[in-house]
């Protein structure tokens, strides 16, 4: 209770009351960091102020994603009462979007904000922590990370890069993407050049498509000029902001490839370890608060944006046919199995993710799924 009282008084933020001790993980991966000697060594000097640089994979101030990174920086600055300030850089301001991970790893910046699947070329297992096709919802994803062993594994995956990962934001349900032709059968995916990152991209490839990963800021032009035939981005809120409805006719659901994608902060471990213990707690609690804030914001704004896309911009909503989804699900199982076979770390994460998915899925089926079906029927 002492810690929670401190947080409230220091920040004047009553909304942080949700952060129970069970989520505060400062001592979980490295219990030795919490022994008395080290705590004394890292209490820091009173009056000392630090400034961290945050690099992001998003355009500066981009709704939901860029602003979410700003929120995290603001929480850290305010919770520390200005002892640790964080300056945010949009993609390409300090480093290109997809170099954020390396920049924090080598210490050019102390903290970054992005999406774990962007780093699959460096650490294949990272993809599980973003979103897995036909995987977990936003709520289930947080449950796995915080209480199902996910974060501990994620830390192992990023440890070789001298980085500590934190869940910071969740897009909630994404959309299946923007297309200029209707998708009526799996044949319609063949030869399709589509921006779709991570495991979803691998699944599309095996379905006959050509996946691409393009930073968000370049998407509209790529789609409009025909560099790509189709794109997924996030959901109605973000897709409306990029004006993707001006470059494609059909908007498909569901976002089979990532229904509850976790966004992340990654912190340079050397910089984190050098912080006094109270500022370490500030960073962790700020990450948790920003995670909740972004998730709630996406859920709220997607509903509003979906109505605007339909009513103001005449977007044609479509749903992927059942047999197309069944085929993609079948390929997904194959892709995940091969990923696990090819990389020992991915195998461990896959095992944890699969076991948790089965367990939480059974609960979600008899609780939320039945409830939602009944609610929409009435
Ligand atoms: Ca996406």
């Amino acid at each position: 209770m002492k810690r929670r009282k401190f947080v409230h008084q220091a920040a004047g933020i009553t909304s942080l009351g949700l952060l129970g001790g069970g989520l505060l993980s400062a001592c979980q991966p490295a219990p030795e960091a919490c022994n008395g000697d080290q705590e004394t060594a890292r209490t820091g000097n009173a009056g000392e102020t630090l400034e961290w640089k945050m690099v992001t994979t998003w355009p500066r101030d981009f709704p939901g994603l860029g602003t979410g990174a700003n929120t995290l920086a603001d929480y850290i600055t305010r919770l520390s009462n200005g002892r640790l300030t964080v300056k945010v850089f949009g993609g390409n301001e300090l480093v290109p979007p997809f170099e954020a991970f390396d920049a924090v790893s080598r210490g050019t910046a102390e903290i970054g904000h992005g999406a774990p699947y962007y780093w699959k070329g460096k650490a294949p297992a990272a993809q599980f922590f973003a979103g897995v096709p036909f995987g977990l919802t936003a709520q289930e994803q947080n449950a796995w990370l915080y209480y199902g062993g996910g974060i501990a594994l994620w830390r192992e995956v990023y440890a070789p890069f001298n980085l500590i990962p934190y869940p910071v934001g969740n897009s909630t349900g994404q959309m299946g993407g923007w297309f200029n032709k209707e998708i009526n059968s799996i044949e319609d995916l063949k030869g399709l050049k589509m921006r779709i990152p991570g495991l979803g991209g691998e699944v599309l490839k095996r379905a006959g498509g050509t996946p691409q990963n393009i930073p968000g800021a370049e998407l509209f032009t790529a789609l409009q000029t025909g560099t790509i035939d189709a794109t997924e981005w996030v959901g109605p809120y973000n897709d409306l902001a990029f004006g993707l409805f001006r470059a494609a006719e059909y908007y498909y659901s569901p976002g089979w490839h990532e229904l509850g994608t976790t966004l992340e902060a990654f912190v340079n471990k050397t910089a984190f370890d050098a912080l006094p213990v109270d500022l370490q707690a500030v960073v962790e609690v700020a990450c948790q608060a920003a995670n909740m804030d972004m998730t709630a914001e996406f859920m709220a704004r997607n509903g509003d944006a979906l109505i605007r896309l339909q009513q103001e911009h005449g977007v044609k909503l479509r749903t992927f046919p059942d047999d197309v989804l069944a085929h993609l699900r079948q390929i997904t199982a194959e892709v995940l199995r091969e990923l696990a076979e090819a990389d020992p770390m991915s195998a461990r994460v896959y095992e944890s993710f699969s076991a948790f998915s089965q367990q939480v899925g059974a609960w979600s089926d008899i609780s939320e799924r039945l409830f939602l079906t009944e609610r929409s029927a009435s």
Side-chain angles (χ1 to χ4, degrees):
M1 287 304 291
K2 266 186 179 171
R3 175 176 281 132
R4 290 174 65 174
K5 192 176 173 190
F6 159 76
V7 168
H8 284 212
Q9 287 175 343
I13 302 171
T14 52
S15 62
L16 291 182
L18 84 164
L19 297 167
L23 297 185
L24 196 67
S25 57
C27 299
Q28 285 172 3
E32 71 280 5
C34 293
N35 69 36
D37 291 346
Q38 292 200 21
E39 190 154 338
T40 308
R42 289 193 280 103
T43 49
N45 300 320
E48 184 186 9
T49 60
L50 297 163
E51 183 177 291
W52 275 11
K53 291 191 271 298
M54 181 193 286
V55 289
T56 69
T57 57
W58 326 114
R60 170 179 278 278
D61 300 332
F62 186 72
L65 299 165
T67 55
N70 295 347
T71 298
L72 173 59
D74 179 58
Y75 283 173
I76 294 173
T77 303
R78 286 197 290 146
L79 283 167
S80 70
N81 200 22
R83 286 166 58 215
L84 176 58
T85 60
V86 181
K87 184 173 165 54
V88 181
F89 295 86
N92 287 323
E93 287 183 349
L94 191 64
V95 295
F98 292 156
E99 286 180 26
F101 189 90
D102 285 343
V104 179
S105 178
R106 67 174 176 258
T108 302
E110 290 79 8
I111 183 169
H113 190 263
Y117 51 37
Y118 288 156
W119 325 122
K120 69 172 185 175
K122 303 169 195 302
Q127 298 174 97
F128 286 97
F129 305 107
V132 170
F134 302 99
L136 301 174
T137 65
Q139 191 158 238
E140 292 168 343
Q141 183 82 356
N142 275 328
W144 175 54
L145 292 170
Y146 286 128
Y147 282 97
I151 284 181
L153 285 165
W154 194 0
R155 290 191 171 207
E156 278 189 56
V157 172
Y158 280 21
F161 305 95
N162 196 37
L163 293 173
I164 307 172
Y166 296 93
V168 176
N170 191 301
S171 65
T172 70
Q174 297 209 3
M175 285 290 282
W178 296 88
F179 298 80
N180 272 311
K181 64 173 186 181
E182 291 193 66
I183 304 300
N184 296 316
S185 76
I186 202 76
E187 292 299 314
D188 292 321
L189 296 177
K190 297 211 162 108
L192 193 78
K193 206 185 286 183
M194 179 173 180
R195 184 271 184 190
I196 173 170
L199 292 164
E202 183 57 33
V203 174
L204 178 75
K205 190 169 150 189
R206 294 186 191 202
T210 307
Q212 317 245 321
N213 193 14
I214 300 172
E218 298 164 26
L219 273 189
F220 178 80
T221 307
L223 188 58
Q224 199 179 39
T225 58
T227 305
I228 51 175
D229 304 314
T231 186
E232 69 80 59
W233 173 226
V234 185
Y237 176 40
N238 281 169
D239 295 6
L240 175 69
F242 268 160
L244 295 175
F245 57 89
R246 293 194 184 92
E249 198 174 347
Y250 301 107
Y251 197 22
Y252 268 82
S253 74
W256 58 273
H257 58 301
E258 42 180 341
L259 196 71
T261 295
T262 296
L263 307 166
E264 62 177 353
F266 37 91
V267 176
N268 180 283
K269 188 172 183 301
T270 309
F272 183 86
D273 288 346
L275 291 177
V277 287
D278 60 336
L279 291 187
Q280 290 182 341
V282 160
V283 170
E284 298 211 321
V285 171
C287 284
Q288 289 160 11
N291 188 32
M292 185 281 292
D293 185 86
M294 287 181 72
T295 306
E297 184 185 12
F298 269 100
M299 196 69 186
R301 298 200 194 279
N302 273 333
D304 174 59
L306 181 62
I307 291 170
R308 288 184 57 198
L309 282 169
Q310 289 177 278
Q311 293 183 353
E312 295 173 23
H313 304 293
V315 165
K316 294 173 186 163
L317 282 186
R318 294 288 184 274
T319 307
F320 291 117
D322 287 345
D323 60 337
V324 168
L325 291 171
H327 189 73
L328 294 172
R329 195 165 60 242
Q330 203 176 358
I331 300 174
T332 296
E334 185 184 297
V335 167
L336 294 180
R337 206 170 41 243
E338 286 179 24
L339 179 62
E341 281 165 9
D343 173 43
M345 192 68 224
S346 292
R348 289 181 54 212
V349 181
Y350 174 58
E351 190 184 344
S352 167
F353 184 89
S354 301
F356 193 84
S357 298
Q358 283 191 2
Q359 172 203 307
V360 83
W363 165 237
S364 292
D365 275 352
I366 65 155
S367 55
E368 295 200 30
R369 188 170 66 84
L370 288 185
F371 174 84
L372 291 172
T373 303
E374 200 52 41
R375 189 175 71 178
S376 58
S378 57

